[in-house]
């Protein structure tokens, strides 16, 4: 009952008008109207609500934090937890994105907003759970949350800005809220206070939505997990701030980034459906034939090392392991008419896992995907760097 009253009181504090509020409108150019207090209260309120939902609906022991567990977590050492990949690499970064987004949409810059994602992680690890605070959770939540949060904030702002200077309509507001929920929340709750749209400074962008079917024709599998031979495929990507545009400068974090989200719609589990989420700088090469066709290639290598858990024998043991993951792709896309195009993509993935007290394991998968592409811009993202003729 007391916690419910606390949440209600916090909501009143956040939404109640204050004297002089009409003049406290956010200006992205001068910084006037930004708030440090509002996002701090929002982070506390969000974590309080999340704890209560998890405590009553998921696990009362894991999330039943009290003064005893908080004191122990404040004085105890950090640990390396063994949560599933979906929790550590998807759940924690997205949760950190919420903390970051509250601060960013309240007018704070990237670095100050990063402090809120770190503070939110510290608060959750200390008071939101009874388990020991985890070092890898802090890294994934604070750093990963800032990366996802800034990319989401930029994409949401770009959508709001797309009306040509006019007040964003309902669908743009809804789309921005889906991309960056904290941004949508602050714009809805505080109205004029935070309705100023972040200035993108007109970056050159390239957007693509791709839907297709994937056939896996070669598998070399030395692991216990089966590989599906036929799957659906869907991905969305945006390259923000393509180099070469006259007058566009790279002075703020994420003035350039590439965001990509790939999903397998017919996967049995929601965590398996998310095949890839990445935010990075420029990797790969693209050969463009005017506005008609494009050949592109990417290559990535990941090295993952640390402690891991082995449950194959039924005994949960911890050991040091290292993974080397290679991922390369080549694609060809042909524009049919307007924004509509067809494409074919070849992808090869190789994974080698080794541990001193376990046998080495290897997995390689080769797939071909046929897809329909919806292209957001002409010329496949090529930037016209030459000045316009007089």
């Amino acid at each position: 009952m007391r916690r419910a009253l606390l949440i209600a009181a916090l909501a009143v504090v956040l939404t109640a008008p204050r004297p002089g509020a009409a003049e406290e409108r956010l200006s992205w150019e001068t910084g006037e109207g930004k708030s440090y207090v509002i996002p701090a209260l929002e982070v506390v309120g969000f974590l309080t609500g999340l704890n209560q939902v998890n405590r009553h609906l998921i696990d009362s022991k894991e999330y039943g934090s009290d003064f005893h567990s908080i004191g122990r977590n404040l004085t105890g050492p950090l640990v390396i937890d063994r949560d599933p990949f979906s929790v550590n690499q998807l759940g924690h970064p997205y949760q950190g994105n919420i903390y970051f987004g509250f601060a960013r949409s309240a007018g704070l810059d990237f670095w100050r907003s990063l402090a809120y994602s770190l503070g939110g992680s510290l608060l959750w690890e200390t008071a939101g759970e009874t388990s020991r605070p985890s070092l890898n959770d802090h890294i994934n939540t604070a750093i990963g949350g800032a990366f996802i949060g800034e990319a989401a904030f930029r994409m949401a702002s770009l959508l709001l800005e797309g009306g040509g200077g006019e007040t964003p309509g309902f669908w743009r507001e809804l789309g921005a809220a889906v991309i960056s929920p904290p941004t949508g929340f602050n714009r809805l709750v505080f109205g004029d206070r935070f309705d100023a749209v972040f200035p993108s400074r007109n970056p050159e962008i390239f957007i693509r939505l791709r839907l297709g079917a994937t056939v896996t024709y070669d598998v070399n599998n030395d692991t216990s997990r089966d590989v599906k031979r036929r799957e659906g495929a869907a991905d969305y990507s945006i390259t923000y701030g393509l180099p070469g545009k006259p007058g566009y400068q790279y002075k703020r974090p994420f003035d350039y980034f590439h965001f990509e989200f790939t999903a397998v719609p017919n996967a049995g589990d929601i965590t398996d459906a998310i095949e890839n989420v990445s935010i990075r700088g420029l990797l790969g090469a693209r050969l463009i034939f005017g506005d008609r066709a494009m050949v592109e290639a990417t290559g990535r290598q990941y090295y993952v090392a640390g402690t891991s858990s082995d449950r194959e024998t039924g005994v949960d043991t911890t050991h040091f392991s290292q993974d080397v993951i290679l991922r390369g792709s080549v694609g060809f896309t042909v524009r049919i008419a307007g924004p509509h195009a067809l494409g074919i993509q070849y992808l090869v993935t190789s994974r080698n896992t080794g541990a001193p007290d376990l046998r080495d394991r290897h997995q390689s998968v080769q797939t071909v995907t046929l897809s329909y592409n919806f292209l957001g811009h002409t010329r496949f993202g090529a930037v016209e760097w030459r000045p316009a003729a007089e």
Side-chain angles (χ1 to χ4, degrees):
M1 183 64 179
R2 290 181 179 177
R3 292 188 178 91
L5 292 175
L6 176 60
I7 296 173
L10 181 61
V12 171
V13 170
L14 288 174
T15 58
R18 296 178 299 164
E23 291 77 23
E24 291 184 329
R25 299 189 64 173
L26 173 63
S27 170
W28 287 104
E29 299 299 331
T30 66
E32 294 181 2
K34 67 177 181 292
S35 176
Y36 294 94
V37 175
I38 289 176
L41 293 175
E42 288 175 325
V43 170
V44 173
F46 172 78
L47 290 179
T48 302
L50 181 62
N51 173 267
Q52 291 301 301
V53 170
N54 290 348
R55 182 186 302 231
H56 295 292
L57 299 182
I58 298 179
D59 190 333
S60 59
K61 182 178 179 181
E62 174 70 18
Y63 300 101
S65 52
D66 53 24
F67 288 114
H68 173 72
S69 65
I70 293 173
R72 185 196 61 200
N73 289 343
L74 282 172
T75 57
L78 294 174
V79 301
I80 303 296
D81 71 23
R82 293 176 289 171
D83 287 342
F85 180 89
S86 58
V87 174
N88 277 339
Q89 306 301 327
L90 295 175
H92 282 295
Y94 189 80
Q95 190 169 328
N97 145 74
I98 301 297
Y99 314 149
F100 181 94
F102 281 137
R104 199 69 172 96
S105 57
L108 305 187
D109 63 15
F110 174 85
W111 299 109
R112 291 179 174 86
S113 300
L114 174 60
Y116 281 76
S117 64
L118 176 58
S121 177
L122 292 171
L123 182 59
W124 176 257
E125 292 290 313
T126 303
E129 301 174 317
T130 58
S131 56
R132 296 279 188 181
S134 167
L135 176 61
N136 50 319
D137 285 354
H138 284 319
I139 295 173
N140 292 333
T141 303
I143 307 301
F147 273 56
I148 294 178
E150 182 67 12
F153 175 73
R154 292 288 189 117
M155 290 188 285
S157 299
L158 198 66
L159 181 60
L160 293 168
E161 199 179 38
E166 301 177 358
T167 301
F170 171 79
W171 292 111
R172 289 187 181 276
E173 292 281 5
L174 179 61
V178 171
I179 296 171
S180 176
T183 299
F185 178 84
N186 277 346
R187 292 180 63 84
L188 175 65
V189 172
F190 296 98
D192 293 345
R193 173 71 186 271
F194 297 132
D195 69 349
V197 178
F198 177 80
S200 67
R201 299 175 185 171
N202 198 23
E204 195 70 32
I205 64 174
F206 177 63
I207 297 175
R208 174 167 63 184
L209 173 65
R210 183 162 50 187
L211 304 172
T214 295
V215 176
T216 300
Y217 68 90
D218 184 69
V219 178
N220 181 354
N221 196 0
D222 192 25
T223 69
S224 59
R225 186 169 184 175
D226 295 332
V227 176
K228 288 188 176 181
R229 294 286 180 168
R230 295 177 179 83
E231 295 179 308
D235 70 68
Y236 168 83
S237 65
I238 175 173
T239 306
Y240 181 106
L242 284 160
K245 183 173 184 177
Y248 186 75
Q249 298 179 331
Y250 302 91
K251 293 184 175 181
R252 305 171 297 184
F254 283 74
D255 275 340
Y256 173 88
F257 69 87
H258 177 84
F259 173 85
E260 184 176 3
F261 177 88
T262 306
V264 182
N266 61 328
D269 186 82
I270 183 62
T271 57
D272 292 335
I274 302 176
E275 198 264 348
N276 175 57
V277 181
S278 63
I279 304 167
R280 62 182 187 273
L282 186 61
L283 290 174
R286 181 180 295 169
L287 179 63
I288 299 173
F289 301 93
D291 195 35
R292 180 55 56 187
M294 170 182 67
V295 177
E296 56 187 330
T298 62
R300 307 173 211 167
Q301 178 175 342
Y302 305 91
Y303 176 75
V304 183
T307 56
S308 62
S309 176
D310 175 41
R311 295 184 174 87
E312 289 185 354
T313 61
V315 179
D316 187 4
T317 58
T318 301
H319 53 262
F320 179 84
S321 66
Q322 55 185 3
D323 286 67
V324 178
I325 302 172
L326 300 174
R327 183 182 177 94
S329 67
V330 178
F332 179 66
T333 306
V334 179
R335 187 186 299 273
I336 305 302
H340 310 290
L342 297 177
I344 183 171
Q345 182 186 43
Y346 166 76
L347 172 67
V348 56
T349 303
S350 174
R351 177 183 179 185
N352 293 285
T353 302
D357 52 345
L358 295 175
R359 66 181 179 87
D360 293 343
R361 289 178 292 179
H362 172 76
Q363 182 186 52
S364 65
V365 179
Q366 300 181 52
T367 64
V368 174
T369 302
L370 299 176
S371 63
Y372 158 78
N373 297 249
F374 183 86
L375 307 174
H377 296 77
T378 59
R379 302 188 63 197
F380 298 98
V383 178
E384 180 54 72
W385 55 271
R386 295 164 295 189
E390 294 292 339

